[in-house]
Amino acid sequence: MLIAKKPNNEAQRQNSLETFNILDTLPEAEYDNITAIAAKICGTPIALISLVDNNRQWFKSRQGINAEETPRDIAFCAHAILEPDKLFEVNDATKDPRFLDNPLVLKNPNVVFYAGSPLVTPEGEALGTLCVIDHKPREISQNSKELLSLLSQHVVTHMRLRKNNEELVQLNEQLHLEIENRKSKEKELGLPR
């Protein structure tokens, strides 16, 4: 088994991932819809939105698998993020020297086919992948690859919108506190409202 090296921009990539404040959050329909579509388009039993942090890959959304995360050292997605501008595809992991003795191949979930489209920020940091997995060797069509890539961009858009919404909620709370503080001070000073 070949453990994926870490990207050259690993510190920046990790920092960017943390700013999204998405790790270990509850499932969200928007993401689950994307993995369901990816599985349908590619005809695979498993589809995941996988985010790669320091020691693990954590699944924001998962179709066809119960695990919530796996160690980064055995993650196919850790290999996929090394080339942010390319779909990473393994047609038969049982014959690929990088993966043939990988626990994810030898045991549940029995990964044989893997295709992962990196989730790339506008700054070029690959945070994880939208990936599809099958238990048998296969290829997916060029059309499916292109759609998987488009869906991965959609995931990043959702992540950015989610982050922006959280920032707006925090800003709104701060403004509300400032208004309440100002009203309280005006009352103390006996100023008319």
Side-chain angles (χ1 to χ4, degrees):
M1 182 180 83
L2 178 66
I3 296 173
K5 64 179 184 168
K6 294 196 175 179
N8 293 333
N9 67 342
E10 181 65 8
Q12 289 172 271
R13 195 189 72 75
Q14 287 294 330
N15 185 53
S16 182
L17 178 58
E18 288 173 19
T19 66
F20 282 94
N21 205 22
I22 195 168
L23 293 171
D24 301 308
T25 57
L26 294 173
E28 296 175 57
E30 294 85 4
Y31 300 100
D32 292 342
N33 290 341
I34 293 171
T35 52
I37 293 167
K40 282 269 192 219
I41 288 170
C42 297
T44 59
I46 299 171
L48 305 164
I49 293 174
S50 172
L51 299 169
V52 181
D53 74 5
N54 282 321
N55 301 310
R56 65 182 173 151
Q57 67 174 346
W58 175 77
F59 307 132
K60 175 59 182 165
S61 177
R62 58 191 193 276
Q63 301 284 323
I65 192 171
N66 291 325
E68 294 179 5
E69 63 184 55
T70 67
R72 181 177 179 160
D73 289 349
I74 62 173
F76 282 61
C77 297
H79 291 268
I81 64 171
L82 296 175
E83 294 186 79
D85 56 340
K86 290 175 59 177
L87 181 106
F88 184 76
E89 187 175 22
V90 178
N91 300 105
D92 187 348
T94 65
K95 295 180 180 169
D96 190 313
R98 298 171 295 180
F99 302 106
L100 56 90
D101 57 348
N102 185 304
L104 298 174
V105 174
L106 300 174
K107 300 176 188 169
N108 193 25
N110 305 106
V111 176
V112 177
F113 169 79
Y114 171 94
S117 182
L119 304 174
V120 183
T121 66
E123 296 77 28
E125 295 144 345
L127 305 180
T129 68
L130 170 62
C131 64
V132 293
I133 295 169
D134 206 338
H135 309 296
K136 60 186 178 191
R138 63 177 306 166
E139 287 184 36
I140 56 174
S141 69
Q142 184 60 35
N143 186 51
S144 293
K145 290 176 187 180
E146 290 169 10
L147 291 172
L148 194 61
S149 177
L150 289 172
L151 284 172
S152 71
Q153 293 170 31
H154 201 57
V155 171
V156 174
T157 299
H158 271 293
M159 289 173 62
R160 293 177 66 209
L161 289 171
R162 183 183 184 283
K163 177 182 175 183
N164 291 344
N165 188 50
E166 283 183 357
E167 289 171 353
L168 286 172
V169 167
Q170 288 176 352
L171 185 59
N172 189 37
E173 288 172 0
Q174 288 173 346
L175 287 171
H176 181 72
L177 281 173
E178 284 182 32
I179 290 168
E180 290 303 314
N181 286 339
R182 183 169 288 180
K183 284 180 180 179
S184 178
K185 286 182 182 178
E186 287 174 355
K187 188 176 180 181
E188 284 175 22
L189 296 170
L191 297 174
R193 290 189 188 188

